[in-house]
Amino acid sequence: MEVFIVSEARAQAAASTTPRSRWASLAVLSSGLLMTIIDGNIVTVAMPAIQSDLGFSAPGLAWVVNAYLIAFGGLLLLAGRLGDLIGRKRMFVWGLAVFTAASVLCGVATDQGLLIAARAVQGVGGAMTSAVVLSMLVALFPEPREQAKAIAVFSAVGAAGGALGTFLGGALTETLSWHWIFLINLPIGAAALVAALRILANDRGTGLAEGADYPGAALVTGALMLTVYTIVSSAGHGAPATLVLAALSLVLYAAFAVRQARTARPLLRLRVFRSRTLTGANAVQIMMIAGMYGFQYIGALYFQRVLGYGELKTGFAFLPAPIAIGVLMLGLSAKVIGRFGPYRALLAGLVLITAGLALLGRLPTEGSYAVDVLPPMLLLGAGFAAAMPAVTGLAMSGARPEDAGLASGLFNTTQMVGGALGLSLLTTLAASRTEGLLADGERTLAATADGYRFAFWVATGIAAAGFALAATLLRPERGTAAASAKGEQREPTMV
């Protein structure tokens, strides 16, 4: 058995930069993340306007979201590995360029086919950018306490981007048009691209000669894309078709695992899953993100279809969540993790998330925003502010330095799968519940609200399961418990 600590190469990379340049680099990386996260959510509020303008059917409209999710989720792992080979800065910069160009195509789209195709290309650029960000951050901040602060900032930006996307989607759609939810990425992307070229330190990958297992890449990319497609399209397929697609996904994963075990230069070194910390953190993240993503989407529907809010008012209604997340992450998260350790911070955060979702499961048909919505929203914000930096640090601590890009891609992949799972499962259950009540003669408004309450109760169960999984799999070993309580992040033991 050997214990992996911060590598000499990682320490040298940090030593070659000043504290100011490291934090400037973090700002650049966060801006790239912010743009991709905003874009993943900005479409939600604008969907009715897009449907009306381009004449989408209800099933067709879903592909404005699905095309992005499938490309993004399917390519993250491959992009992370290629970043290790060709250099992570190069992958990040190329991803920004692809994402920004595709955003312009989305903004000028005048027909359904072009918009869906451009959204898929956006997903490719988003995967290239996001897959390497965490590995670059960990290399910049090898010291545990500084790294906890950097991850808190990074996580706050990502969390704020989700709700900010909903706000901007409503504001831009109502004041200008839906085209601007994409065109706004042009100045942001151009500025981020220039800053990345000037500020981020150059790095050398191990070289393509080291090998990217292209047959393995084809298998895992196909498996991931099919997994995301199965999740996001399950509402439109019957159970038999969904089971067939799920079975085919499992076959591709099995073929990929066999390939990785036998090839000399695997794309995914299966040894990374020997780390209980890395594997457990990714599994917990899937459940946590599924519940939070469900809140964001179902919450927007509740505001518009039950409370009667417009797009702009819906955007404003979500603002307390990112404000709470940003304030708590930047002010307290790193201190909490430093004082009590990431394990305890994660458990506390999951308790708050579960409680917030449970309160949302009691939303009345004629609810009050201040009384019924705001308190659980703040609980969710506080819980996410505690849990997300903790689970991020735990996941990245389980990888060797040479596997950091791969671990970053894997972490982002499970995040995307969790979001797709939450979106598909909770919206399908809410719609099914509402349709059943309408068939029984219930009023439309009451049936709609009850469907959303049911979805929130399911999300509560998912979050509670995430807590149980975290408590079981991520409990520090006796030898590291004291260090964890003091906030000292040791690298986990790998067999």
Side-chain angles (χ1 to χ4, degrees):
M1 302 175 72
E2 64 180 318
V3 178
F4 295 109
I5 60 175
V6 177
S7 71
E8 181 180 353
R10 193 184 295 181
Q12 288 175 348
S16 66
T17 58
T18 65
R20 178 175 296 180
S21 67
R22 290 202 296 272
W23 289 101
S25 297
L26 174 62
V28 173
L29 296 175
S30 297
S31 67
L33 171 75
L34 182 65
M35 189 168 63
T36 57
I37 293 292
I38 284 177
D39 202 78
N41 294 273
I42 201 170
V43 178
T44 303
V45 181
M47 295 284 268
I50 295 174
Q51 183 177 24
S52 175
D53 191 22
L54 299 185
F56 275 102
S57 64
L61 183 66
W63 281 100
V64 177
V65 175
N66 294 350
Y68 182 85
L69 290 176
I70 291 171
F72 196 120
L75 292 172
L76 276 167
L77 198 59
L78 176 59
R81 177 57 180 160
L82 288 176
D84 290 337
L85 298 180
I86 68 173
R88 292 160 194 161
K89 175 182 176 178
R90 183 178 299 176
M91 179 62 70
F92 181 81
V93 168
W94 287 358
L96 283 177
V98 171
F99 186 90
T100 303
S103 296
V104 175
L105 287 177
C106 290
V108 301
T110 56
D111 63 78
Q112 299 177 14
L114 178 59
L115 179 59
I116 291 174
R119 285 285 285 167
V121 178
Q122 264 193 319
V124 174
M128 294 169 66
T129 300
S130 300
V132 296
V133 168
L134 279 176
S135 57
M136 297 172 76
L137 185 152
V138 170
L140 282 168
F141 299 93
E143 196 275 321
R145 291 188 182 277
E146 250 198 347
Q147 188 179 109
K149 293 178 182 178
I151 289 177
V153 172
F154 182 77
S155 301
V157 170
L164 186 60
T166 305
F167 169 73
L168 287 176
L172 292 173
T173 301
E174 192 164 305
T175 58
L176 297 172
S177 74
W178 66 264
H179 295 276
W180 285 94
I181 68 175
F182 300 113
L183 293 176
I184 195 175
N185 286 333
L186 178 58
I188 297 174
L193 189 60
V194 171
L197 289 170
R198 295 185 60 180
I199 295 175
L200 295 182
N202 293 318
D203 65 316
R204 290 186 178 182
T206 55
L208 289 175
E210 288 294 316
D213 175 24
Y214 296 110
L219 285 171
V220 73
T221 301
L224 288 168
M225 285 187 168
L226 187 57
T227 298
V228 178
Y229 171 77
T230 302
I231 292 169
V232 300
S233 64
S234 60
H237 292 151
T242 300
L243 290 174
V244 169
L245 290 173
L248 182 56
S249 298
L250 291 176
V251 170
L252 290 176
Y253 282 122
F256 172 70
V258 171
R259 169 76 186 178
Q260 299 313 286
R262 294 181 177 180
T263 187
R265 293 174 176 173
L267 175 67
L268 175 59
R269 297 177 179 90
L270 298 181
R271 67 166 184 257
V272 300
F273 292 109
R274 295 175 185 170
S275 167
R276 180 168 55 89
T277 303
L278 181 146
T279 303
N282 277 278
V284 169
Q285 182 187 220
I286 289 177
M287 296 182 180
M288 182 176 72
I289 295 297
M292 291 296 295
Y293 201 97
F295 151 71
Q296 205 163 20
Y297 191 81
I298 298 293
L301 294 177
Y302 176 82
F303 287 142
Q304 295 187 61
R305 296 181 180 176
V306 177
L307 299 185
Y309 289 5
E311 290 95 342
L312 184 58
K313 192 174 181 180
T314 296
F316 274 112
F318 272 104
L319 279 182
I323 291 174
I325 290 171
V327 169
L328 292 173
M329 277 189 176
L330 297 178
L332 291 176
S333 290
K335 294 179 181 179
V336 170
I337 292 174
R339 174 66 180 84
F340 298 103
Y343 172 72
R344 292 177 181 175
L346 175 59
L347 292 186
L350 289 170
V351 167
L352 293 175
I353 289 172
T354 304
L357 290 171
L359 287 176
L360 289 172
R362 303 179 62 184
L363 285 176
T365 302
E366 298 179 359
S368 164
Y369 175 79
V371 175
D372 301 306
V373 180
L374 185 57
M377 182 183 291
L378 294 177
L379 277 178
L380 290 173
F384 194 79
M388 193 61 194
V391 79
T392 302
L394 286 167
M396 292 304 296
S397 72
R400 294 183 184 215
E402 63 268 26
D403 294 331
L406 181 60
S408 175
L410 179 63
F411 188 75
N412 282 285
T413 299
T414 58
Q415 190 173 94
M416 183 60 59
V417 170
L421 177 63
L423 175 65
S424 176
L425 177 64
L426 298 179
T427 55
T428 299
L429 291 175
S432 177
R433 175 78 168 183
T434 297
E435 289 172 4
L437 292 172
L438 289 174
D440 292 338
E442 183 65 80
R443 292 182 300 113
T444 300
L445 190 63
T448 301
D450 195 272
Y452 298 152
R453 284 193 294 270
F454 179 65
F456 283 129
W457 278 118
V458 174
T460 302
I462 294 173
F467 173 86
L469 195 64
T472 303
L473 291 182
L474 299 179
R475 180 185 297 275
E477 297 178 4
R478 290 184 178 181
T480 61
S484 178
K486 295 178 180 178
E488 300 173 8
Q489 294 181 343
R490 295 187 181 180
E491 296 294 325
T493 300
M494 305 275 286
V495 178

